[in-house]
Coordinates of all heavy atoms in Angstrom, one line a residue:
M19 N 14.1 6.4 -11.7 CA 15.1 5.5 -10.8 C 15.0 4.1 -11.5 O 14.0 3.6 -11.6 CB 14.9 5.3 -9.5 CG 15.8 4.6 -8.7 SD 15.5 4.8 -6.9 CE 16.2 3.5 -6.4
G20 N 16.1 3.6 -12.2 CA 16.2 2.4 -12.8 C 16.2 1.2 -11.7 O 16.5 1.5 -10.6
T21 N 16.3 0.0 -12.3 CA 16.4 -1.0 -11.4 C 17.8 -1.3 -11.0 O 18.7 -0.9 -11.7 CB 15.9 -2.4 -12.1 OG1 16.6 -2.5 -13.4 CG2 14.4 -2.3 -12.4
L22 N 18.0 -1.8 -9.8 CA 19.4 -2.0 -9.3 C 19.8 -3.5 -9.4 O 18.9 -4.4 -9.3 CB 19.3 -1.7 -7.8 CG 20.6 -1.4 -7.1 CD1 21.4 -0.4 -7.7 CD2 20.4 -1.0 -5.6
D23 N 20.9 -3.6 -9.9 CA 21.6 -5.0 -10.0 C 21.3 -5.7 -8.8 O 21.7 -5.1 -7.7 CB 23.0 -4.9 -10.4 CG 23.6 -6.2 -10.6 OD1 23.5 -6.8 -11.6 OD2 24.3 -6.7 -9.5
P24 N 20.8 -7.0 -8.8 CA 20.7 -7.7 -7.4 C 21.8 -7.8 -6.6 O 21.7 -7.7 -5.4 CB 20.2 -9.1 -8.0 CG 19.7 -8.9 -9.3 CD 20.5 -7.6 -10.0
D25 N 23.0 -8.0 -7.2 CA 24.3 -8.1 -6.4 C 24.5 -6.7 -5.7 O 25.0 -6.6 -4.6 CB 25.5 -8.5 -7.3 CG 25.3 -10.0 -7.7 OD1 24.7 -10.8 -6.9 OD2 25.7 -10.4 -8.7
K26 N 24.5 -5.6 -6.6 CA 24.7 -4.3 -6.0 C 23.6 -3.9 -4.8 O 24.0 -3.3 -3.8 CB 24.6 -3.2 -7.1 CG 25.7 -3.3 -8.1 CD 25.5 -2.3 -9.2 CE 26.9 -2.3 -10.1 NZ 26.9 -1.3 -11.2
Y27 N 22.4 -4.4 -5.1 CA 21.4 -4.2 -4.1 C 21.7 -4.8 -2.8 O 21.6 -4.3 -1.7 CB 20.1 -4.6 -4.6 CG 18.9 -4.6 -3.7 CD1 18.4 -3.3 -3.4 CD2 18.4 -5.7 -3.1 CE1 17.3 -3.1 -2.4 CE2 17.3 -5.6 -2.1 CZ 16.7 -4.3 -1.9 OH 15.6 -4.2 -1.0
Q28 N 22.2 -6.1 -2.8 CA 22.7 -6.9 -1.6 C 23.8 -6.1 -1.0 O 23.9 -6.0 0.2 CB 23.0 -8.2 -1.9 CG 21.7 -9.2 -2.3 CD 20.7 -9.1 -1.1 OE1 21.1 -9.4 0.0 NE2 19.4 -8.9 -1.5
A29 N 24.7 -5.6 -1.7 CA 25.9 -5.1 -1.3 C 25.5 -3.8 -0.5 O 26.1 -3.4 0.5 CB 27.0 -4.7 -2.5
L30 N 24.7 -3.1 -1.1 CA 24.2 -1.8 -0.6 C 23.5 -2.1 0.8 O 23.9 -1.4 2.0 CB 23.1 -1.1 -1.4 CG 22.4 0.2 -0.9 CD1 23.5 1.3 -0.9 CD2 21.4 0.7 -1.9
L31 N 22.7 -3.1 1.0 CA 22.0 -3.3 2.1 C 22.9 -4.1 3.2 O 22.7 -3.9 4.3 CB 20.8 -4.3 1.9 CG 19.6 -3.6 1.1 CD1 18.4 -4.6 0.8 CD2 19.1 -2.3 1.9
N32 N 23.9 -4.7 2.7 CA 24.9 -5.4 3.7 C 26.0 -4.4 4.3 O 26.6 -4.7 5.2 CB 25.5 -6.6 3.1 CG 24.5 -7.7 3.0 OD1 23.7 -7.9 3.8 ND2 24.8 -8.5 1.8
A33 N 26.0 -3.3 3.5 CA 27.0 -2.2 4.1 C 26.6 -1.8 5.4 O 25.4 -1.5 5.7 CB 27.0 -1.0 3.1
H34 N 27.6 -1.8 6.3 CA 27.3 -1.5 7.8 C 27.6 0.0 8.0 O 28.7 0.4 7.5 CB 28.2 -2.4 8.6 CG 27.9 -2.2 10.2 ND1 26.8 -2.8 10.8 CD2 28.6 -1.6 11.2 CE1 26.9 -2.5 12.0 NE2 27.9 -1.8 12.2
D35 N 26.8 0.6 8.7 CA 27.2 2.0 9.2 C 26.8 2.1 10.7 O 26.3 1.2 11.2 CB 26.4 3.2 8.3 CG 25.1 3.2 8.5 OD1 24.4 3.0 9.7 OD2 24.3 3.6 7.7
E36 N 27.4 3.2 11.3 CA 27.1 3.5 12.8 C 25.6 3.5 13.2 O 25.3 3.2 14.2 CB 27.8 4.8 13.2 CG 27.1 6.0 12.8 CD 27.4 6.5 11.3 OE1 28.2 5.8 10.7 OE2 26.9 7.5 10.9
L37 N 24.6 3.8 12.4 CA 23.3 3.7 12.8 C 22.8 2.3 12.9 O 21.7 2.1 13.5 CB 22.5 4.5 11.6 CG 22.7 5.9 11.6 CD1 21.9 6.7 10.6 CD2 22.7 6.7 13.0
D38 N 23.4 1.3 12.2 CA 23.0 -0.1 12.4 C 23.0 -0.7 13.8 O 22.3 -1.6 14.2 CB 23.7 -1.0 11.4 CG 23.4 -0.7 10.0 OD1 22.5 -0.2 9.6 OD2 24.4 -1.1 9.2
D39 N 23.8 0.0 14.6 CA 23.9 -0.4 16.0 C 23.1 0.3 17.0 O 23.3 0.0 18.3 CB 25.5 -0.4 16.4 CG 26.3 -1.3 15.7 OD1 25.9 -2.4 15.3 OD2 27.5 -1.0 15.3
V40 N 22.1 1.2 16.6 CA 21.4 2.0 17.4 C 20.2 0.8 18.0 O 19.6 0.3 17.2 CB 20.5 3.1 16.8 CG1 19.6 3.7 17.5 CG2 21.5 4.1 16.3
P41 N 20.2 0.6 19.3 CA 19.1 -0.1 19.9 C 17.8 0.2 19.6 O 17.5 1.5 19.5 CB 19.5 -0.3 21.4 CG 20.7 0.7 21.6 CD 21.0 1.5 20.4
V42 N 16.8 -0.7 19.5 CA 15.5 -0.3 19.4 C 14.8 -0.8 20.7 O 15.3 -1.6 21.4 CB 14.8 -1.1 18.1 CG1 15.3 -0.6 16.9 CG2 14.8 -2.6 18.2
R43 N 13.6 -0.1 20.8 CA 12.8 -0.5 22.1 C 11.8 -1.5 22.0 O 10.7 -1.3 21.3 CB 12.2 0.8 22.6 CG 13.2 1.8 23.0 CD 12.5 3.2 23.5 NE 13.4 4.2 23.6 CZ 14.1 4.5 24.7 NH1 14.0 3.7 25.8 NH2 15.0 5.5 24.8
M44 N 12.2 -2.7 22.2 CA 11.2 -3.9 22.2 C 11.3 -4.7 23.3 O 12.4 -5.1 23.8 CB 11.5 -4.7 20.8 CG 10.7 -5.9 20.7 SD 11.0 -7.0 19.3 CE 9.7 -6.5 18.2
T45 N 10.2 -5.0 23.9 CA 10.2 -5.9 25.2 C 10.3 -7.4 24.7 O 10.0 -7.7 23.7 CB 9.0 -5.7 26.0 OG1 7.8 -6.2 25.4 CG2 8.9 -4.2 26.4
R46 N 10.6 -8.3 25.7 CA 10.6 -9.7 25.6 C 9.2 -10.1 25.1 O 9.0 -11.0 24.2 CB 11.0 -10.3 26.7 CG 11.1 -11.9 26.7 CD 11.6 -12.4 28.0 NE 11.6 -13.8 28.0 CZ 10.5 -14.6 28.4 NH1 9.5 -13.9 28.9 NH2 10.4 -15.9 28.4
H47 N 8.2 -9.6 25.7 CA 6.7 -9.8 25.4 C 6.4 -9.6 24.1 O 5.8 -10.3 23.3 CB 5.8 -9.1 26.4 CG 4.5 -9.2 26.0 ND1 3.6 -10.3 26.2 CD2 3.5 -8.4 25.4 CE1 2.4 -10.0 25.8 NE2 2.3 -8.9 25.3
Q48 N 6.9 -8.4 23.4 CA 6.6 -7.9 22.2 C 7.3 -8.9 21.1 O 6.7 -9.2 20.1 CB 7.2 -6.4 22.0 CG 6.2 -5.6 22.7 CD 6.8 -4.2 22.8 OE1 8.0 -4.0 22.9 NE2 6.0 -3.1 22.7
A49 N 8.6 -9.3 21.5 CA 9.3 -10.1 20.6 C 8.6 -11.6 20.5 O 8.4 -12.1 19.4 CB 10.8 -10.3 21.1
Q50 N 8.1 -11.9 21.6 CA 7.4 -13.4 21.6 C 6.1 -13.2 20.8 O 5.8 -14.2 20.1 CB 7.2 -13.8 22.9 CG 8.6 -14.3 23.7 CD 8.2 -14.6 25.2 OE1 7.6 -13.9 26.0 NE2 8.6 -15.8 25.6
K51 N 5.4 -12.2 21.1 CA 4.1 -12.0 20.3 C 4.3 -11.9 18.9 O 3.6 -12.5 18.1 CB 3.3 -10.8 20.9 CG 2.0 -10.7 20.2 CD 0.9 -11.3 21.2 CE -0.5 -11.1 20.5 NZ -1.4 -10.4 21.5
C52 N 5.4 -11.1 18.4 CA 5.6 -10.9 17.0 C 6.1 -12.3 16.4 O 5.6 -12.6 15.3 CB 6.7 -9.8 16.9 SG 6.2 -8.1 17.1
A53 N 6.9 -13.1 17.1 CA 7.3 -14.3 16.6 C 6.1 -15.2 16.5 O 5.9 -16.1 15.5 CB 8.3 -15.0 17.5
A54 N 5.2 -15.3 17.5 CA 4.0 -16.2 17.4 C 3.2 -15.7 16.3 O 2.6 -16.8 15.6 CB 3.3 -16.0 18.6
I55 N 2.9 -14.4 15.9 CA 2.1 -14.1 14.8 C 2.8 -14.5 13.5 O 2.1 -15.1 12.5 CB 1.8 -12.6 14.9 CG1 0.9 -12.2 16.1 CG2 1.2 -12.0 13.6 CD1 0.8 -10.8 16.5
L56 N 4.0 -14.2 13.4 CA 4.8 -14.8 12.1 C 4.6 -16.2 12.0 O 4.4 -16.7 10.8 CB 6.2 -14.3 12.2 CG 6.4 -12.6 12.1 CD1 8.0 -12.4 12.4 CD2 6.0 -12.2 10.9
T57 N 4.9 -17.0 13.0 CA 4.8 -18.4 12.9 C 3.5 -18.9 12.5 O 3.3 -19.8 11.6 CB 5.3 -19.1 14.2 OG1 6.6 -18.6 14.5 CG2 5.1 -20.5 14.2
A58 N 2.3 -18.3 13.1 CA 0.9 -18.7 12.7 C 0.7 -18.4 11.4 O 0.0 -19.2 10.7 CB 0.0 -17.9 13.7
G59 N 1.2 -17.2 10.9 CA 1.1 -16.9 9.4 C 1.7 -17.9 8.5 O 1.1 -18.2 7.6
Q60 N 2.8 -18.3 8.9 CA 3.5 -19.4 8.0 C 2.8 -20.6 8.2 O 2.8 -21.4 7.2 CB 4.9 -19.4 8.5 CG 5.8 -18.3 8.1 CD 7.3 -18.5 8.7 OE1 7.5 -19.1 9.8 NE2 8.3 -18.1 7.9
D61 N 2.2 -21.0 9.3 CA 1.5 -22.2 9.5 C 0.2 -22.3 8.7 O -0.4 -23.4 8.8 CB 1.2 -22.5 10.9 CG 2.6 -22.9 11.6 OD1 3.6 -23.3 11.0 OD2 2.6 -23.1 12.8
G62 N -0.2 -21.1 8.2 CA -1.4 -21.2 7.5 C -2.8 -20.6 8.1 O -3.9 -20.8 7.6
H63 N -2.6 -20.1 9.4 CA -3.7 -19.5 10.0 C -4.0 -18.1 9.2 O -3.3 -17.1 9.3 CB -3.4 -19.1 11.5 CG -3.2 -20.3 12.5 ND1 -4.2 -20.8 13.1 CD2 -1.9 -21.0 12.7 CE1 -3.7 -21.9 13.7 NE2 -2.4 -22.0 13.6
A64 N -5.2 -18.2 8.6 CA -5.7 -17.2 7.9 C -5.8 -15.8 8.6 O -5.4 -14.8 8.1 CB -7.0 -17.4 7.1
T65 N -6.2 -15.9 9.7 CA -6.4 -14.8 10.7 C -5.1 -14.0 10.9 O -5.2 -12.8 11.0 CB -7.0 -15.2 12.0 OG1 -8.1 -15.9 11.8 CG2 -7.2 -14.0 12.8
Y66 N -4.0 -14.7 10.8 CA -2.7 -14.0 11.2 C -1.9 -13.7 9.8 O -0.7 -13.1 9.9 CB -1.9 -14.9 12.1 CG -2.6 -15.0 13.4 CD1 -3.4 -16.0 13.6 CD2 -2.4 -13.9 14.3 CE1 -4.1 -16.0 14.9 CE2 -3.0 -14.1 15.6 CZ -3.9 -15.1 15.8 OH -4.7 -15.1 16.9
A67 N -2.5 -14.0 8.7 CA -1.7 -13.7 7.4 C -1.5 -12.2 7.2 O -0.4 -11.8 7.0 CB -2.4 -14.3 6.1
E68 N -2.6 -11.5 7.4 CA -2.5 -10.0 7.3 C -1.6 -9.4 8.5 O -0.9 -8.5 8.3 CB -3.8 -9.3 7.3 CG -3.9 -7.9 7.1 CD -5.2 -7.3 6.8 OE1 -6.1 -7.9 6.4 OE2 -5.4 -6.0 7.4
A69 N -1.8 -10.0 9.6 CA -0.9 -9.5 10.9 C 0.5 -9.7 10.6 O 1.2 -8.9 11.2 CB -1.5 -10.3 12.0
T70 N 0.9 -10.5 9.8 CA 2.4 -10.7 9.5 C 3.0 -9.4 8.9 O 4.0 -8.9 9.2 CB 2.8 -11.9 8.6 OG1 2.1 -11.9 7.4 CG2 2.3 -13.2 9.4
L71 N 2.1 -8.8 8.1 CA 2.4 -7.6 7.4 C 2.5 -6.4 8.5 O 3.3 -5.5 8.3 CB 1.5 -7.2 6.4 CG 1.4 -8.1 5.2 CD1 0.3 -7.6 4.1 CD2 2.7 -8.2 4.3
T72 N 1.5 -6.5 9.4 CA 1.6 -5.5 10.5 C 2.8 -5.6 11.3 O 3.4 -4.7 11.8 CB 0.4 -5.5 11.4 OG1 -0.8 -5.6 10.6 CG2 0.3 -4.6 12.5
V73 N 3.3 -7.0 11.6 CA 4.6 -7.1 12.3 C 5.7 -6.5 11.5 O 6.6 -5.8 12.2 CB 4.9 -8.6 12.5 CG1 6.2 -8.9 13.1 CG2 3.7 -9.2 13.5
A74 N 5.7 -6.7 10.3 CA 6.8 -6.2 9.5 C 6.8 -4.6 9.6 O 7.8 -4.0 9.8 CB 6.7 -6.5 8.0
E75 N 5.6 -4.0 9.5 CA 5.5 -2.6 9.5 C 5.9 -2.0 10.9 O 6.6 -1.0 11.1 CB 4.0 -2.2 9.4 CG 3.5 -2.2 7.9 CD 2.1 -1.7 7.8 OE1 1.9 -0.4 8.0 OE2 1.2 -2.6 7.7
Y76 N 5.6 -2.8 12.0 CA 5.9 -2.5 13.4 C 7.5 -2.6 13.6 O 8.1 -1.6 14.1 CB 5.3 -3.5 14.4 CG 5.8 -3.4 15.8 CD1 5.5 -2.3 16.5 CD2 6.5 -4.4 16.4 CE1 5.9 -2.1 17.8 CE2 6.9 -4.3 17.7 CZ 6.6 -3.2 18.3 OH 7.1 -3.1 19.7
L77 N 8.1 -3.5 13.0 CA 9.6 -3.7 13.1 C 10.2 -2.6 12.3 O 11.4 -1.9 12.8 CB 10.1 -5.0 12.7 CG 9.6 -6.2 13.4 CD1 10.0 -7.6 12.8 CD2 10.2 -6.1 14.9
Q78 N 9.7 -2.2 11.2 CA 10.3 -1.1 10.4 C 10.1 0.3 11.2 O 11.0 1.1 11.2 CB 9.6 -1.0 9.0 CG 10.1 0.2 8.2 CD 9.5 0.2 6.9 OE1 8.3 0.0 6.8 NE2 10.3 0.5 5.8
A79 N 9.0 0.4 11.8 CA 8.7 1.5 12.6 C 9.6 1.8 13.7 O 10.2 2.9 14.1 CB 7.2 1.7 13.1
L80 N 9.8 0.6 14.4 CA 10.7 0.5 15.6 C 12.2 1.1 15.1 O 12.9 1.7 15.9 CB 10.8 -0.8 16.3 CG 9.8 -1.3 17.1 CD1 10.0 -2.7 17.7 CD2 9.7 -0.3 18.4
A81 N 12.6 0.5 14.0 CA 13.9 0.8 13.5 C 14.1 2.3 13.3 O 15.2 2.8 13.4 CB 14.2 -0.2 12.3
L82 N 13.0 2.9 12.9 CA 13.1 4.4 12.5 C 12.8 5.3 13.7 O 13.2 6.5 13.7 CB 12.1 4.6 11.4 CG 12.4 4.0 10.1 CD1 11.2 4.4 9.1 CD2 13.8 4.5 9.5
D83 N 12.1 4.7 14.8 CA 11.8 5.6 16.0 C 13.1 6.2 16.5 O 12.9 7.4 17.1 CB 11.2 4.6 17.1 CG 9.7 4.4 16.7 OD1 9.1 4.9 15.8 OD2 9.2 3.6 17.6
E84 N 14.2 5.5 16.6 CA 15.3 6.2 17.3 C 16.3 7.0 16.5 O 17.3 7.6 17.0 CB 16.2 5.0 17.9 CG 15.4 4.1 18.9 CD 14.8 5.0 20.2 OE1 15.5 5.7 20.7 OE2 13.7 4.6 20.5
L85 N 15.8 7.2 15.2 CA 16.7 7.9 14.3 C 16.1 9.4 14.0 O 15.0 9.4 13.3 CB 16.9 7.2 13.1 CG 17.5 5.7 13.3 CD1 17.6 5.0 11.9 CD2 18.9 5.8 14.0
P86 N 16.8 10.5 14.5 CA 16.2 11.7 14.4 C 16.4 12.1 12.9 O 17.3 11.9 12.2 CB 17.0 12.7 15.2 CG 18.3 11.9 15.5 CD 18.0 10.4 15.5
G87 N 15.4 12.7 12.4 CA 15.4 13.2 10.9 C 15.3 12.3 9.8 O 15.2 12.6 8.7
I88 N 14.9 11.0 10.2 CA 14.7 9.9 9.3 C 13.1 10.0 9.1 O 12.3 10.1 9.9 CB 15.1 8.6 9.8 CG1 16.6 8.6 10.0 CG2 14.7 7.6 8.7 CD1 17.5 8.8 8.8
S89 N 12.7 9.8 7.8 CA 11.3 9.6 7.5 C 10.7 8.5 8.5 O 11.1 7.4 8.6 CB 11.1 9.3 6.0 OG 11.5 10.3 5.3
R90 N 9.6 8.7 8.8 CA 8.8 7.7 9.7 C 7.8 6.9 8.8 O 7.5 7.3 7.6 CB 7.9 8.5 10.8 CG 8.8 9.3 11.8 CD 9.7 8.3 12.5 NE 10.4 9.1 13.6 CZ 11.8 9.3 13.5 NH1 12.4 9.0 12.5 NH2 12.4 10.0 14.5
T91 N 7.3 5.8 9.3 CA 6.3 5.1 8.7 C 4.8 5.8 8.7 O 4.7 6.7 9.5 CB 6.3 3.7 9.2 OG1 6.1 3.8 10.6 CG2 7.5 3.0 9.0
D92 N 4.0 5.4 7.9 CA 2.7 6.0 7.9 C 2.1 5.9 9.3 O 1.3 6.8 9.6 CB 1.8 5.3 6.8 CG 2.1 5.7 5.3 OD1 2.8 6.7 5.2 OD2 1.7 4.9 4.6
T93 N 2.3 4.8 9.9 CA 1.7 4.6 11.2 C 2.8 4.3 12.2 O 3.7 3.7 11.9 CB 0.7 3.3 11.2 OG1 -0.2 3.4 10.2 CG2 0.0 3.2 12.6
D94 N 2.7 5.1 13.4 CA 3.9 4.9 14.5 C 3.9 3.6 15.1 O 2.9 2.9 15.0 CB 3.6 6.0 15.4 CG 2.3 5.9 16.2 OD1 1.2 6.2 15.8 OD2 2.4 5.5 17.3
S95 N 5.0 3.3 15.7 CA 5.2 1.9 16.4 C 4.1 1.6 17.5 O 3.8 0.6 17.6 CB 6.6 1.9 16.9 OG 6.9 2.7 17.7
A96 N 3.8 2.8 18.2 CA 2.9 2.6 19.3 C 1.6 2.1 18.9 O 1.0 1.2 19.4 CB 2.8 3.7 20.2
T97 N 1.1 2.7 17.8 CA -0.2 2.3 17.1 C -0.1 0.9 16.6 O -1.2 0.0 16.8 CB -0.6 3.3 16.2 OG1 -0.7 4.6 16.7 CG2 -2.0 3.0 15.5
L98 N 0.9 0.8 15.9 CA 1.2 -0.7 15.3 C 1.2 -1.8 16.4 O 0.6 -2.9 16.3 CB 2.3 -0.7 14.5 CG 2.3 0.0 13.1 CD1 3.6 0.3 12.4 CD2 1.3 -0.7 12.1
W99 N 1.9 -1.5 17.5 CA 2.0 -2.5 18.7 C 0.6 -2.7 19.1 O 0.2 -3.8 19.4 CB 2.9 -2.0 19.7 CG 2.8 -3.0 20.8 CD1 2.3 -2.6 22.0 CD2 3.1 -4.4 20.8 NE1 2.2 -3.9 22.9 CE2 2.8 -4.9 22.1 CE3 3.5 -5.3 19.8 CZ2 2.8 -6.2 22.2 CZ3 3.7 -6.5 20.1 CH2 3.3 -7.0 21.4
Q100 N -0.2 -1.7 19.3 CA -1.6 -1.7 19.9 C -2.4 -2.8 19.1 O -3.2 -3.6 19.6 CB -2.2 -0.5 20.1 CG -3.5 -0.5 21.1 CD -3.2 -1.1 22.4 OE1 -2.3 -0.6 23.0 NE2 -3.8 -2.2 22.7
I101 N -2.2 -2.6 17.8 CA -3.0 -3.6 16.8 C -2.6 -5.0 17.2 O -3.5 -5.9 17.1 CB -2.7 -3.2 15.4 CG1 -3.4 -1.7 15.1 CG2 -3.2 -4.2 14.3 CD1 -2.9 -1.1 13.8
L102 N -1.3 -5.2 17.2 CA -0.9 -6.6 17.5 C -1.1 -7.0 18.8 O -1.4 -8.2 19.0 CB 0.8 -6.6 17.2 CG 1.2 -6.2 15.8 CD1 2.7 -6.0 15.8 CD2 0.8 -7.3 14.9
E103 N -1.0 -6.2 19.9 CA -1.3 -6.5 21.0 C -2.8 -7.0 21.3 O -3.1 -7.8 22.2 CB -1.0 -5.5 22.2 CG -1.3 -5.7 23.6 CD -0.3 -6.7 24.2 OE1 0.3 -7.5 23.5 OE2 -0.2 -6.8 25.5
D104 N -3.7 -6.3 20.6 CA -5.1 -6.7 20.7 C -5.4 -7.9 20.0 O -6.6 -8.6 20.3 CB -6.0 -5.4 20.0 CG -5.9 -4.3 20.8 OD1 -5.6 -4.3 22.1 OD2 -6.4 -3.3 20.2
L105 N -4.6 -8.4 19.3 CA -4.9 -9.9 18.7 C -4.7 -10.9 19.7 O -3.9 -10.8 20.5 CB -3.8 -10.0 17.6 CG -4.0 -9.4 16.3 CD1 -2.9 -9.6 15.2 CD2 -5.3 -9.8 15.5
P106 N -5.5 -11.9 19.7 CA -5.3 -13.0 20.6 C -4.0 -13.8 20.2 O -3.6 -13.8 19.1 CB -6.6 -14.1 20.4 CG -7.1 -13.4 19.1 CD -6.8 -12.1 18.9
W107 N -3.5 -14.4 21.2 CA -2.2 -15.2 20.9 C -2.7 -16.5 19.9 O -3.7 -17.0 20.2 CB -1.6 -15.7 22.1 CG -0.9 -14.8 23.0 CD1 -1.3 -13.8 23.7 CD2 0.6 -14.5 22.9 NE1 -0.3 -13.0 24.1 CE2 0.9 -13.5 23.8 CE3 1.6 -15.3 22.2 CZ2 2.2 -12.9 23.8 CZ3 3.0 -14.8 22.4 CH2 3.3 -13.7 23.2
P108 N -1.9 -16.5 19.0 CA -2.4 -17.7 18.1 C -2.2 -19.1 18.6 O -1.2 -19.2 19.5 CB -1.5 -17.6 16.8 CG -0.4 -16.7 17.2 CD -0.8 -16.0 18.4
A109 N -3.0 -20.1 18.2 CA -2.8 -21.4 18.7 C -1.5 -22.0 18.1 O -1.2 -21.6 16.8 CB -4.0 -22.2 18.4
P110 N -0.8 -22.9 18.7 CA 0.3 -23.3 18.1 C 0.0 -24.3 16.9 O -0.9 -24.9 17.0 CB 1.1 -24.1 19.2 CG 0.1 -24.4 20.2 CD -1.0 -23.3 20.0
G111 N 1.0 -24.6 16.0 CA 0.8 -25.4 15.0 C -0.2 -25.1 13.8 O -0.7 -23.9 13.8
P112 N -0.4 -25.8 12.9 CA -1.3 -25.6 11.7 C -2.8 -25.4 12.2 O -3.1 -26.0 13.2 CB -1.0 -26.7 10.8 CG -0.5 -27.9 11.5 CD 0.2 -27.3 12.6
P113 N -3.5 -24.7 11.3 CA -4.9 -24.6 11.8 C -5.7 -26.0 11.8 O -5.3 -26.8 11.0 CB -5.5 -23.5 10.8 CG -4.5 -23.5 9.7 CD -3.2 -24.0 10.3
A114 N -6.6 -26.0 12.6 CA -7.4 -27.2 12.6 C -8.2 -27.4 11.3 O -8.7 -26.5 10.7 CB -8.5 -27.3 13.8
V115 N -8.4 -28.7 10.8 CA -9.2 -29.0 9.7 C -10.7 -28.7 10.0 O -11.1 -29.3 11.0 CB -8.9 -30.4 9.1 CG1 -9.8 -30.8 8.0 CG2 -7.4 -30.6 8.8
Q116 N -11.3 -27.9 9.1 CA -12.8 -27.7 9.4 C -13.5 -28.8 8.7 O -13.2 -29.3 7.7 CB -13.1 -26.4 8.8 CG -12.3 -25.2 9.2 CD -12.7 -24.9 10.7 OE1 -13.7 -25.0 11.1 NE2 -11.5 -24.6 11.6
P117 N -14.6 -29.3 9.5 CA -15.4 -30.2 9.1 C -16.2 -29.8 7.8 O -16.6 -28.6 7.8 CB -16.4 -30.6 10.2 CG -16.3 -29.6 11.2 CD -14.9 -28.8 10.8
S118 N -16.4 -30.7 6.8 CA -17.0 -30.4 5.5 C -18.6 -30.4 5.7 O -19.2 -31.1 6.4 CB -16.6 -31.1 4.4 OG -15.4 -31.7 4.4

């Protein structure tokens, strides 16, 4: 498989189909925790840098959960959520400066 022209790639991903409107099962709590983890990773909290990848995997797994016959991710959404749920809530803002 060759590389796809960037414009064609964007057009392919922007094409809307009936499966795009299938709702996913995410609670308000889950959305808030995912957002907090993503923000902490962006703010430089090293502990949450890897967790941002878990959030991405979790969202991808959620997107596939409701679609019969579609390939699933390596780890199911319930397992990924448990990993995220077990993390403590990150402190807001950038990490504290460590004394030298």
